[in-house]
Amino acid sequence: MTVSPQRALEGVRVLDMTHVQSGPSCTQILAWLGADVIKLEAPTGDITRQQLRDLPDVDSLYFTMLNCNKRSITLNMKSERGKEIFTDLVKDADILVENFAPGAIDRMGFTWDRLQLINPRLIFASIKGFGPGRYEDFKAYEVVAQAMGGAMSTTGFEDGPPTATGAQIGDSGTGIHLVAGILAALYQRTNTGKGQRVTVAMQEAVLNLTRVKLRDQQRLAHGPLREYPNEHFGDEVPRSGNASGGGQPGWALRCAPGGPNDYIYVIVQPPGWAPIANLIGKPELADDPDWATPAARLDKLDKMFALIEQWTEQHTKFEVMDKLNALNVPCGPIMSTRELIEDETLAELGAVVEVKHPQRGSFKTVGCPIKLSDSPVEVETSPGLGEHNSVVYGALGIDTAELEELKAAGVV
């Protein structure tokens, strides 16, 4: 008989009061790791069920791709009976996660002090836009967090405006930070028996991901940042286009046949210069004192990459990838969203998965990026609105007749 492997967070119950992206991205990771995540929604549902719909009257991809492996219940927290039911749910939860505006849970009547009285073992985790202080009550969205966390001022080209990144570092980036905090609190509870408050601010999560730019801000005090392609430096880290931001120079180079994403990112490490020079038909540059060392190339990085680009333009980005990797030269083709969603290797890895959905047929989504050898993840479809009301509320002693009465009264 085959025994199913136990999942890492099996037996952990999460009451998920999150919505939109930052919170649901966190609780979806917890669900993938095996927690029983119960998504608590207002009777009208998470707003993203309806946002950016591609099919009428079907949950949007925005919702389905952030709420896999969860159960859904509905509850009107403004009603007195709803608050009583919520109290019972909290008693049985290990973790409560929310990303409402500051003070929203308090206004519902559930301060941290009260939650601790209801369930001393509860871990109460929150995502907010900003930490306490001047910005505390300001609204935050993905690009607002990018703007105020240092990402936008350092993204883009020197002669262009600040630019947002397509990676959702403000929302999903904060979500994964909150996962780390929750797991730390869960582990600490095994020693103390007590729950605790866990908070992550979107601004601070983005700032954490932008730390190398704070490194460079301090280096500016001692002179120009020579590995940057910029000609002029002021007293702030400039936007540096596609410069690597690390100790080894890199750039995105055009490839055949010249489409909008026919580029490859190439990094030139010291040992890689001679093999590259030979590959591009410039073997004499391998030993030329004007080119042979990193220091010699530093003031002409633009010329160096232009020479390499003359060669890459004659090949596709995947051909270049194979040729450069054969020489142990770090590189990566610029992969479009279509290429990623259709990539066979990513499908084999489970990095992109196809999930069956009762209304839309199927959809593709990202798989769990965290791989545990003894706790494999199977991505399951997102729940319908209130799909698990009868099961979850039945466990609280609410029978079918009462559930119908609560529904008629707008409580669920």
Side-chain angles (χ1 to χ4, degrees), residues 227-287:
E227 78 281 5
Y228 278 58
N230 307 68
E231 293 184 6
H232 306 288
F233 290 89
D235 57 1
E236 298 173 336
V237 174
R239 290 183 282 282
S240 55
N242 288 320
S244 69
Q248 310 297 335
W251 204 253
L253 307 178
R254 286 189 294 268
C255 298
N261 288 302
D262 287 323
Y263 286 81
I264 188 165
Y265 197 86
V266 178
I267 293 177
V268 181
Q269 296 175 311
W273 174 242
I276 289 172
N278 281 290
L279 182 65
I280 67 175
K282 301 286 185 181
E284 68 278 6
L285 298 183
D287 299 317

Side-chain angles (χ1 to χ4, degrees), residues 101-327:
I105 298 292
D106 289 1
R107 290 191 293 273
M108 293 177 190
F110 293 93
T111 62
W112 173 226
D113 288 342
R114 184 179 176 192
L115 289 170
Q116 285 180 294
L117 290 174
I118 297 169
N119 181 355
R121 290 175 56 82
L122 182 72
I123 295 163
F124 180 24
S126 299
I127 287 175
K128 296 292 175 259
F130 308 96
R134 177 184 175 188
Y135 312 129
E136 183 174 3
D137 295 324
F138 292 3
K139 285 188 175 180
Y141 291 85
E142 169 64 45
V143 185
V144 171
Q146 289 190 32
M148 296 186 67
M152 286 187 70
S153 71
T154 54
T155 303
F157 285 84
E158 187 174 19
D159 56 354
T163 305
T165 173
Q168 303 290 283
I169 60 175
D171 279 328
S172 289
T174 305
I176 198 69
H177 278 79
L178 191 65
V179 169
I182 288 170
L183 295 181
L186 195 62
Y187 179 79
Q188 187 171 2
R189 194 181 70 175
T190 63
N191 296 319
T192 66
K194 292 175 56 181
Q196 62 183 295
R197 194 83 168 84
V198 180
T199 59
V200 179
M202 293 171 69
Q203 182 187 33
E204 293 177 48
V206 172
L207 184 63
N208 183 44
L209 297 174
T210 318
R211 69 176 69 189
V212 296
K213 298 302 181 180
L214 294 190
R215 172 201 69 191
D216 293 346
Q217 176 63 39
Q218 295 170 89
R219 290 172 60 220
L220 271 175
H222 305 287
L225 307 172
R226 296 194 63 203
E227 78 281 5
Y228 278 58
N230 307 68
E231 293 184 6
H232 306 288
F233 290 89
D235 57 1
E236 298 173 336
V237 174
R239 290 183 282 282
S240 55
N242 288 320
S244 69
Q248 310 297 335
W251 204 253
L253 307 178
R254 286 189 294 268
C255 298
N261 288 302
D262 287 323
Y263 286 81
I264 188 165
Y265 197 86
V266 178
I267 293 177
V268 181
Q269 296 175 311
W273 174 242
I276 289 172
N278 281 290
L279 182 65
I280 67 175
K282 301 286 185 181
E284 68 278 6
L285 298 183
D287 299 317
D288 186 330
D290 289 335
W291 289 90
T293 65
R297 295 190 297 271
L298 197 56
D299 64 352
K300 46 179 167 294
L301 293 179
D302 55 342
K303 295 182 178 66
M304 178 187 73
F305 284 117
L307 285 173
I308 301 172
E309 190 172 64
Q310 289 175 12
W311 176 80
T312 61
E313 286 179 314
Q314 301 172 43
H315 307 275
T316 70
K317 58 189 179 185
F318 292 106
E319 290 171 345
V320 175
M321 176 183 69
D322 289 337
K323 291 177 184 295
L324 289 179
N325 272 284
L327 301 174

Side-chain angles (χ1 to χ4, degrees), residues 39 70 89 139 156 163 180 217 221 238 240 283 332 343 349 392 402:
K39 185 175 179 68
K70 303 178 185 180
L89 290 168
K139 285 188 175 180
T163 305
Q217 176 63 39
S240 55
D343 188 84
L349 290 170
V392 174
E402 185 180 0

